[in-house]
Amino acid sequence: MIVNYSRSEMLQIWRRCAGLEPSASSCTVERFDGIDVDTRLEGLMRLWYLALLDEGDINLAGAPADATELVTPLPPGDDSRIATLICAPAVRRLCTIRLSGWKRPATVTDRRNDLYGTALQDNRYSRAGAVTPIAWFDGDGTVYATPAGPETTVVSATAYIDNGTDSYRLDERALATIHAFLKQTSTPLTL
């Protein structure tokens, strides 16, 4: 089930996962030389969430959101068959894209190491078409899509979007991965 948490709600979950809650109300302890545990947890919480959006299991990140307005095609360059797309900073992972003239959207893949797939685009018999479009991202975050024309526009796009530090949208099954993430951190959180 997809859930939406505020920063304070997510922090409560992280405090429980780190073993810091529930605390005993029969005693109090004050330290003035220790670390701010909530600030440390919020930093880890943010790293965990961004990793989930960037490269985590798509079943745990929930359904991608509409990102049509967040993707902009650049003017065509030397190879007008390939569109270069720039995503707004809030877009963490572009999932699908559909450009004008296409019959269906294309799934955005990682083609950095796929020389064979890129070479197919040079052959007029094997290159992508309106029925079989392709899109891929490069290592620098730029997205490329083909086929494209001189007046290419974005018809639709879906992506995992970062809504800032006050909003966490995910499948509640992703919460089960917090313990493993905390074990991977090098600094223990115990007081």
Side-chain angles (χ1 to χ4, degrees):
M1 180 165 106
I2 304 300
V3 292
N4 292 300
Y5 291 114
S6 67
R7 179 175 28 186
S8 62
E9 291 170 331
M10 186 62 92
L11 184 58
Q12 286 179 326
I13 292 168
W14 274 72
R15 286 181 66 79
R16 282 194 302 274
C17 289
L20 301 172
E21 283 189 7
S23 57
S25 60
S26 60
C27 63
T28 60
V29 175
E30 286 188 40
R31 281 186 67 172
F32 299 102
D33 62 341
I35 62 169
D36 183 354
V37 174
D38 285 350
T39 301
R40 172 83 171 121
L41 282 176
E42 284 179 359
L44 291 172
M45 182 171 77
R46 184 82 175 133
L47 289 174
W48 169 82
Y49 184 65
L50 292 179
L52 178 66
L53 294 180
D54 290 346
E55 58 208 30
D57 183 349
I58 59 172
N59 296 315
L60 299 179
D66 181 24
T68 306
E69 300 297 321
L70 301 173
V71 181
T72 308
L74 292 178
D78 295 337
D79 190 354
S80 61
R81 293 175 295 145
I82 299 176
T84 303
L85 308 166
I86 302 298
C87 299
V91 174
R92 298 301 296 195
R93 182 180 0 172
L94 190 63
C95 299
T96 63
I97 186 81
R98 183 174 179 192
L99 300 180
S100 54
W102 291 7
K103 303 292 185 202
R104 66 172 188 84
T107 301
V108 180
T109 61
D110 183 354
R111 293 273 176 118
R112 289 178 284 188
N113 300 321
D114 184 10
L115 298 176
Y116 177 72
T118 306
L120 289 176
Q121 301 314 304
D122 293 332
N123 183 322
R124 67 182 179 141
Y125 297 108
S126 63
R127 73 173 58 131
V131 177
T132 58
I134 62 170
W136 66 96
F137 68 89
D138 202 346
D140 63 357
T142 306
V143 176
Y144 301 96
T146 187
E151 301 297 322
T152 298
T153 59
V154 176
V155 174
S156 66
T158 61
Y160 291 111
I161 298 171
D162 176 24
N163 293 318
T165 59
D166 292 328
S167 177
Y168 293 86
R169 181 182 182 278
L170 48 96
D171 189 301
E172 66 183 339
R173 294 175 298 165
L175 300 176
T177 65
I178 295 173
H179 286 289
F181 186 84
L182 284 171
K183 285 183 180 180
Q184 291 176 355
T185 59
S186 60
T187 308
L189 293 171
T190 56
L191 297 174

